[in-house]
Amino acid sequence: MSVHRDIKAKRGFWLPVSLIILGLVLGYIAFISLIGLPKVAVFKIGYVELSGESATDINKMLNFLRDDNSIKAVVIQLNSPGGSVNASADIFMNTVKLREKKPVVFFIKGMAASGGYMWLLGGNWVVANQASIIGNVGAIMYVPSGAGRPEEGVMPTGPFKLSGNPTRTYINLLEQIKDIFVQTVYSQRGDRLKLRPEELQEGRIYFGFEAARLGLVDEVGIEPDAIQKAAGLA
């Protein structure tokens, strides 16, 4: 009699457990059918130099990705040596706006240098190929030819008519641009960065595995790792 009661008790225990498991399975199936898994958009750019023209096209895509509510996370596959200061800063700010609405994960397939590195600072997470080229923080300025002595036969009406400014002014401006870049890196990478400001502003480049060790990127991996990370953040 006690054995029979024990069997009935076990049956009574397993019945609600089975119903719970069945409910979870049916709920998962309903979620997949009606709502679906998080949609991750992969933005593959290819090799690109950041200029006014390319920035216009990139920003259009970033705005589209931000406004499409069916997209829950974005992976940007980046391969860029950088470009103009204005274009790089503009794309960076638009990426920050995208990040404020949904997770953004970068995958560095080939290069993210100079302005290209500034761009990836706008994301939540960075995955880099171990042999990719990362860093080169700094700026280059092309000074007008008249910044030195004017060419023979050229007669300007003022000492800075040909150059616009003395050489010292251009040097100071270039230093300000470099300082803003360095401050942006530290504001976005925070405690993850293991380089001192004076080291960062040397303009060195690092391979992906070095960049991960120094905190310039978050991990070494391949594109599926970036997609998986983005889905997890979503």
Side-chain angles (χ1 to χ4, degrees):
M1 186 67 177
S2 61
V3 173
H4 180 66
R5 286 178 179 174
D6 186 50
I7 292 174
K8 288 178 67 177
K10 288 182 178 180
R11 286 176 179 173
F13 169 77
W14 283 111
L15 181 59
V17 173
S18 300
L19 290 175
I20 291 172
I21 294 174
L22 178 61
L24 290 173
V25 172
L26 292 176
Y28 178 77
I29 293 173
F31 175 82
I32 295 299
S33 301
L34 300 177
I35 302 177
L37 292 172
K39 183 188 292 185
V40 177
V42 180
F43 182 15
K44 294 187 178 183
I45 303 167
Y47 182 85
V48 61
E49 293 186 12
L50 305 182
S51 62
E53 183 177 357
S54 63
T56 298
D57 294 334
I58 291 169
N59 286 328
K60 284 180 180 178
M61 180 56 70
L62 294 175
N63 292 336
F64 168 78
L65 295 170
R66 185 183 69 236
D67 296 337
D68 189 335
N69 293 325
S70 68
I71 296 172
K72 304 305 179 184
V74 176
V75 172
I76 300 177
Q77 186 188 98
L78 180 59
N79 184 14
S80 174
S84 76
V85 173
N86 289 338
S88 303
D90 194 27
I91 295 171
F92 161 72
M93 292 304 300
N94 271 288
T95 305
V96 171
K97 291 180 180 179
L98 174 61
R99 181 184 71 189
E100 291 172 350
K101 193 167 183 180
K102 58 195 68 175
V104 178
V105 176
F106 278 87
F107 171 60
I108 312 306
K109 186 175 183 180
M111 177 185 296
S114 192
Y117 184 73
M118 174 178 280
W119 181 6
L120 68 77
L121 294 173
N124 298 88
W125 194 261
V126 184
V127 179
N129 182 293
Q130 64 177 356
S132 58
I133 296 175
I134 312 290
N136 197 216
V137 173
I140 298 173
M141 178 177 289
Y142 296 96
V143 179
S145 59
R149 292 179 59 187
E151 297 179 9
E152 185 177 354
V154 178
M155 298 181 63
T157 57
F160 307 123
K161 173 59 181 174
L162 296 177
S163 63
N165 282 302
T167 303
R168 182 176 296 277
T169 300
Y170 288 112
I171 293 174
N172 291 337
L173 179 60
L174 190 59
E175 284 295 308
Q176 292 177 39
I177 294 172
K178 179 200 68 178
D179 290 342
I180 291 171
F181 197 167
V182 171
Q183 291 169 14
T184 302
V185 176
Y186 272 90
S187 69
Q188 299 302 314
R189 297 301 298 173
D191 295 337
R192 292 175 287 182
L193 200 61
K194 297 179 177 61
L195 284 171
R196 297 190 304 274
E198 57 269 25
E199 294 174 314
L200 184 63
Q201 65 189 14
E202 288 179 344
R204 294 177 182 269
I205 58 172
Y206 304 90
F207 287 113
F209 67 92
E210 294 178 293
R213 178 175 58 83
L214 296 172
L216 292 166
V217 301
D218 295 292
E219 64 175 298
V220 170
I222 55 179
E223 185 177 324
D225 298 324
I227 296 173
Q228 184 177 5
K229 180 66 178 181
L233 292 174

